[in-house]
Amino acid sequence: MIFYCLPATLVFAIALHTLLQYAAASEIDRETWIWITAAALLWPVTLPSIIWKKCSALVAAYPAASPVRKSAYRTASSGL
């Protein structure tokens, strides 16, 4: 049970944090809380999506830290 509740709590916290940062969202809207609860309950789907989005944002912010460099791409593609 802990292996389901711990990631679900993590997703709920991430979604709640995002809601509180978003100024246009209503914190008392029932539909908002339904979506946050659904995201927490369906964490096997939503958590990888959240992680993917956050990692891609980090890679976009720091292109020098990207594992694939343009020079390596040119070297690999020039042999074709």
Side-chain angles (χ1 to χ4, degrees):
M1 187 71 174
I2 188 88
F3 295 114
Y4 187 86
C5 291
L6 187 63
T9 304
L10 177 66
V11 170
F12 185 82
I14 291 170
L16 184 62
H17 183 264
T18 304
L19 171 70
L20 294 176
Q21 285 186 340
Y22 188 58
S26 174
E27 297 170 7
I28 58 172
D29 188 20
R30 183 183 306 195
E31 185 177 334
T32 304
W33 290 105
I34 290 172
W35 281 109
I36 289 177
T37 304
L41 292 175
L42 298 173
W43 71 263
V45 175
T46 57
L47 186 58
S49 175
I50 290 170
I51 292 172
W52 178 264
K53 186 169 182 170
K54 292 204 179 275
C55 287
S56 64
L58 284 175
V59 169
Y62 301 105
S66 178
V68 178
R69 293 195 176 92
K70 290 181 181 178
S71 61
Y73 179 75
R74 278 190 229 125
T75 304
S77 64
S78 63
L80 294 176

